[in-house]
């Protein structure tokens, strides 16, 4: 059984920062890619950022220059540093891990709210 656990969500004012953490554990050796997705009320889940085992990163256009994804070398742990947060970043953020066999594992989500 695989567990994916996120932490670090919360409420912040526009322009503020938050750091999300995610750790995957259980009957997996090592994940190929890990990433963050988000889903706002009434919207579809969308990609925020991903990072491969080799450290290659990919970002949604809407977060480029503001968010940074990083992965602990050799571990199934990933972070998302979010700076210059905007109201439109408000969403539930989900961590995803993808195995070498393309199996996906998801966390339960953590709420991020950006408001005055």
């Amino acid at each position: 059984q695989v567990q994916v656990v996120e932490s670090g969500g919360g409420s912040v004012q526009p322009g503020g920062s938050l750091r999300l953490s995610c750790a995957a554990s259980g009957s997996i050796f090592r994940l190929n890619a890990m990433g963050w997705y988000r889903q706002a009320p009434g919207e579809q889940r969308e990609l925020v950022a991903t990072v491969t085992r080799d450290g290659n990163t990919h970002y949604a256009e809407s977060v480029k220059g503001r968010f940074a994804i990083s992965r602990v070398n050799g571990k199934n742990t990933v972070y998302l540093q979010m700076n210059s947060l905007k109201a439109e970043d408000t969403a539930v953020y989900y961590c995803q891990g993808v195995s070498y066999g393309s199996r996906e594992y998801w966390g339960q989500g953590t709420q991020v709210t950006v408001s005055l």
Side-chain angles (χ1 to χ4, degrees), residues 10 13 18 43 46-48 52-53 57 65 68 73 83-84 86 89 91-92 96 98 101 106 111 113:
Q13 292 186 349
L18 283 173
E43 302 291 332
E46 63 176 5
L47 180 147
V48 176
T52 68
R53 172 188 174 184
T57 58
N73 193 30
N83 299 324
S84 302
K86 304 175 181 180
D89 294 317
V92 177
Q96 182 209 47
V98 182
W106 291 90
Q111 177 70 45
T113 302

Side-chain angles (χ1 to χ4, degrees), residues 46-79:
E46 63 176 5
L47 180 147
V48 176
T50 61
V51 58
T52 68
R53 172 188 174 184
D54 298 327
N56 295 314
T57 58
H58 174 75
Y59 294 93
E61 286 295 327
S62 60
V63 306
K64 278 184 179 178
R66 300 188 297 121
F67 290 11
I69 189 170
S70 60
R71 185 170 178 176
V72 177
N73 193 30
K75 294 190 176 183
N76 295 323
T77 301
V78 68
Y79 302 99

Side-chain angles (χ1 to χ4, degrees), residues 36-49:
W36 291 93
Y37 291 70
R38 67 187 182 187
Q39 187 168 19
E43 302 291 332
Q44 290 189 334
R45 190 173 297 188
E46 63 176 5
L47 180 147
V48 176

Side-chain angles (χ1 to χ4, degrees), residues 97-115:
V98 182
S99 72
Y100 284 92
S102 299
R103 184 167 182 175
E104 297 180 359
Y105 302 94
W106 291 90
Q108 79 288 350
T110 184
Q111 177 70 45
V112 171
T113 302
V114 185
S115 66

